[in-house]
């Protein structure tokens, strides 16, 4: 089968779609550091031999399509990735420590889904996610009447 990888005694094909976000809606900081965060995440993935197929940093979250070896659980990989990247971000950008007072850059949780044989479809979704966010930001609906009270909005 194509796409299979191997360890010493194992053939495997484990791909995951992972989504995680910065803590406290740090969109302003996050946008300024997007390139550096990308380099840090790539470096940490290489250290754990995790292959990145597709990744996109949206304004308030990150999407990654990765292949994680079976000798590494998804939760331990995410613990490593978010923990080490937080330390690296605050070490490289020391002013953030003083502004926000702690070394927690990422939200506690994350979303993970197995990809199976839909790798191309998920990769396309991740590539287009940023464009969808931009389009959704441009669409705003003004409520002329409060839907709960029926009173007129200014």
């Amino acid at each position: 089968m194509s796409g299979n990888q191997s360890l010493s005694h194992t053939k495997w094909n484990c791909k995951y779609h992972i989504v995680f976000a910065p803590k406290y809606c740090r969109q302003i900081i996050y946008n300024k550091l997007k390139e550096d965060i990308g380099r840090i995440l790539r470096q940490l993935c290489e250290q754990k031999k995790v292959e990145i197929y597709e990744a996109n940093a949206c304004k308030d979250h990150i999407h990654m399509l990765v292949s994680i070896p079976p000798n590494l659980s998804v939760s331990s990989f995410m613990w490593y990735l978010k923990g080490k990247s937080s330390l690296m971000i605050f070490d490289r950008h020391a002013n953030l420590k003083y502004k926000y007072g702690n070394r927690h850059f990422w939200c506690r949780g994350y979303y993970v889904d197995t990809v199976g044989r839909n790798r191309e479809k998920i990769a396309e979704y991740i590539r287009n996610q940023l464009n969808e966010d931009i389009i959704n930001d441009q669409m705003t609906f003004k409520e002329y009447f409060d839907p709960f009270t029926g009173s007129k909005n200014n």
Side-chain angles (χ1 to χ4, degrees):
M1 266 184 176
S2 66
N4 287 347
Q5 298 177 4
S6 63
L7 295 169
S8 59
H9 300 284
T10 309
K11 293 275 188 198
W12 58 279
N13 187 357
C14 304
K15 294 179 183 65
Y16 302 94
H17 176 206
I18 298 172
V19 182
F20 55 101
K23 196 169 189 170
Y24 306 124
C25 300
R26 292 179 173 154
Q27 295 176 10
I28 296 167
I29 302 167
Y30 179 67
N31 285 329
K32 293 176 184 174
L33 307 177
K34 191 184 285 191
E35 287 182 34
D36 194 33
I37 291 170
R39 281 191 293 274
I40 289 170
L41 295 178
R42 277 191 300 278
Q43 177 186 352
L44 293 172
C45 285
E46 287 172 8
Q47 288 176 2
K48 288 291 185 180
K49 297 187 179 18
V50 171
E51 187 175 347
I52 300 174
Y53 289 103
E54 194 71 40
N56 199 344
C58 299
K59 73 176 186 176
D60 60 352
H61 62 283
I62 289 186
H63 285 270
M64 294 177 78
L65 177 60
V66 295
S67 179
I68 301 174
N71 61 349
L72 184 63
S73 73
V74 176
S75 62
S76 65
F77 169 69
M78 288 305 295
W79 176 79
Y80 169 80
L81 185 68
K82 289 169 44 176
K84 290 288 186 186
S85 65
S86 287
L87 294 174
M88 292 171 77
I89 289 166
F90 284 114
D91 284 345
R92 291 183 185 186
H93 305 280
N95 59 330
L96 298 179
K97 281 188 282 194
Y98 302 109
K99 190 170 185 179
Y100 293 101
N102 64 25
R103 294 176 82 92
H104 301 286
F105 188 80
W106 302 109
C107 286
R108 195 178 212 176
Y110 59 92
Y111 169 82
V112 64
D113 190 11
T114 55
V115 173
R117 303 206 182 274
N118 299 326
R119 183 175 80 99
E120 287 303 317
K121 208 62 163 155
I122 301 291
E124 180 182 337
Y125 168 77
I126 292 172
R127 278 192 296 271
N128 295 329
Q129 185 64 38
L130 189 59
N131 292 334
E132 289 178 26
D133 285 351
I134 291 169
I135 290 169
N136 289 336
D137 281 347
Q138 292 174 353
M139 294 178 18
T140 58
F141 297 103
K142 177 157 176 50
E143 296 276 346
Y144 292 102
F145 292 96
D146 186 337
F148 299 106
T149 64
S151 63
K152 203 172 195 178
N153 288 336
N154 294 331

